[in-house]
Every structure is written in structure tokens, then in C-alpha cells.
Amino acid sequence: YGREKELEQLLAAFERAANGVRELILVSGSAGIGKTALIHEAQKLVAEKRGFFVRGRFGQMRQNIQYSAYVRALRDLMGQLLSEDEALRDSWKTRMLEALGSNAQVLIDAIPELESILGSQPPVPELAGIAAQNRFNLLFRKLIDVLAAGLHPLVLFLDDLQWADPLSLELTQQLVSRGQKGALLLLGAYRDNEISSLHPLNRMLKESESAGDRIL
């Protein structure tokens, strides 16, 4: 009964996302309690509703690699887009280039499959430090906005959030911040026995809840 109720809640969240309500749904618990199995069931429901479902996992040994789970998820999604017919691929290409402009190469460097859709892009000026991070964050959000504005609602599953790097947590917060529109549902799973009250994930969740973001 508990699993059925949880699946109903996830499906209801997906329906809200399809209507433009962004939110972050969290599944917590220690290793081996069935979090991944629950998400797998949710993936099948999303496929039945013609949604895109992609996943990325943060790794304990990759905590110094920025956006690792997001990059993995979007590389997977590019593969799905490449399997669509030429007219749809051209439509994606047009919308992505409109959003990314002359900076598309920044994301191609992180997501090589993107070049198969966009084609060769001009080089971009090099930036360092916070300026480079801000540019990447902005472009990443723009790309996800495009992907979440199509005919297929987008579900992005981030596993092992307890190992997420700070920039990925910041991006997660920005994607579901109040006022953001688009058919996007973020699912996150983490081991609650491995985070303290001072953990960056807990701080991010408290900030988002205080701002009125939809965190369930």
C-alpha cells in the first residue's frame, strides 16, 4: 500500500509538471530500502504518458566534478532527441540556438552529444572563476527551459544527492525557484542517514522552502 501511494504521489506531481508547475520531489532513506525501485516504477509511468525521463547520479568520488549528474542526464536526453525524426530534431535545434545564442559551445564542451543536434558552433571567449560558473549556470538553465517547453514533459532524476557538489545544489534550487515555468519535474534521492543538519543539501532545502518553492 505504501508503494502504491508513493507512486500515486509521483504521478500526480508529473501531471502538475505537465501543466507547468515545477517542483522538487525528494525520496529519502538509507541504502537498500527501495528508493531506486520506486523511481524505476515512476519511469515506466512517465513513459506511458509520453514524457522524457532521464537520470544522473552523483558519486562519492566525484564530488569535486561540477554538475556531474546533470551532465550525465542531459547526455542521455540528447540521445533520445537524436532518435526522433528530422523535423523534430530541426525544431529542437532552432529553439536551442535561439536560447543559447553564440555561447552554445560552452555546453557542447560538457555535453558532446549536443553538437550532433546543433552542428558545429563558434568558439566562445574564455572566462574564469565565478564569471565562468555564472555563464554555465545561465546556459544550463536556458537549455533545460527549452527541453521542458516541448510536447514531452521532462522528468529529471538526480540520485545520491548527499554527494552533490555545491554548484549542482545551487542549480537545483534555481530550477525550481518560485516563478519558473515549464513542464519540468525534478526527482531527487538521498541517504538521510548520511547528512547532518549542516549538510549543504539541508541548507539548500531550507532556503528553498523559505522562499516558497515547491519541495515535497
Side-chain angles (χ1 to χ4, degrees):
Y1 172 74
R3 178 61 55 83
E4 290 180 359
K5 184 176 181 180
E6 290 171 337
L7 282 173
E8 288 176 2
Q9 291 173 337
L10 288 176
L11 185 57
F14 175 76
E15 297 291 352
R16 291 193 296 271
N19 290 314
V21 178
R22 290 192 181 190
E23 57 193 321
L24 171 63
I25 304 292
L26 293 172
V27 181
S28 63
S30 57
I33 68 165
K35 300 187 297 297
T36 301
L38 174 64
I39 297 300
H40 182 69
E41 291 297 318
Q43 181 176 3
K44 291 192 290 187
L45 293 174
V46 170
E48 291 171 3
K49 298 285 185 177
R50 293 186 54 77
F52 284 130
F53 188 106
V54 292
R55 66 177 65 205
R57 169 174 284 175
F58 294 103
Q60 189 172 14
M61 306 304 293
R62 299 196 302 271
Q63 294 180 62
N64 62 335
I65 302 176
Q66 299 170 0
Y67 310 108
S68 60
Y70 276 104
V71 167
R72 179 65 264 171
L74 289 196
R75 293 187 70 176
D76 178 13
L77 183 53
M78 292 307 112
Q80 295 183 43
L81 297 186
L82 286 168
S83 69
E84 297 192 328
D85 63 51
E86 185 176 357
L88 281 174
R89 292 199 306 272
D90 287 343
S91 176
W92 285 115
K93 176 180 178 178
T94 298
R95 284 181 283 165
M96 288 180 190
L97 287 176
E98 286 177 353
L100 303 178
S102 60
N103 288 308
Q105 187 61 43
V106 172
L107 293 189
I108 290 174
D109 289 342
I111 308 167
E113 293 82 356
L114 190 56
E115 187 171 25
S116 298
I117 296 175
L118 301 183
S120 179
Q121 295 297 308
V124 296
E126 287 193 16
L127 298 178
I130 192 66
Q133 292 173 9
N134 288 341
R135 180 174 66 179
F136 188 91
N137 253 15
L138 176 61
L139 292 170
F140 215 95
R141 292 203 312 273
K142 285 184 175 182
L143 177 61
I144 291 178
D145 286 344
V146 170
L147 296 169
L151 297 175
H152 307 281
L154 173 61
V155 179
L156 206 165
F157 171 45
L158 303 171
D159 202 2
D160 284 329
L161 273 169
Q162 74 275 3
W163 294 325
D165 61 282
L167 289 178
S168 292
L169 292 176
E170 179 182 343
L171 178 60
T172 302
Q173 186 175 8
Q174 291 169 347
L175 287 173
V176 297
S177 63
R178 199 169 186 180
Q180 293 285 349
K181 301 296 182 183
L184 172 67
L185 173 62
L186 289 177
L187 298 179
Y190 67 99
R191 301 176 187 177
D192 53 3
N193 62 320
E194 294 189 16
I195 67 171
S196 68
S197 60
L198 299 178
H199 192 281
L201 174 59
N202 261 333
R203 291 202 302 270
M204 183 273 282
L205 295 176
K206 289 177 181 177
E207 290 175 4
S208 292
E209 289 169 354
S210 296
D213 303 332
R214 293 184 63 86
I215 309 289
L216 300 176

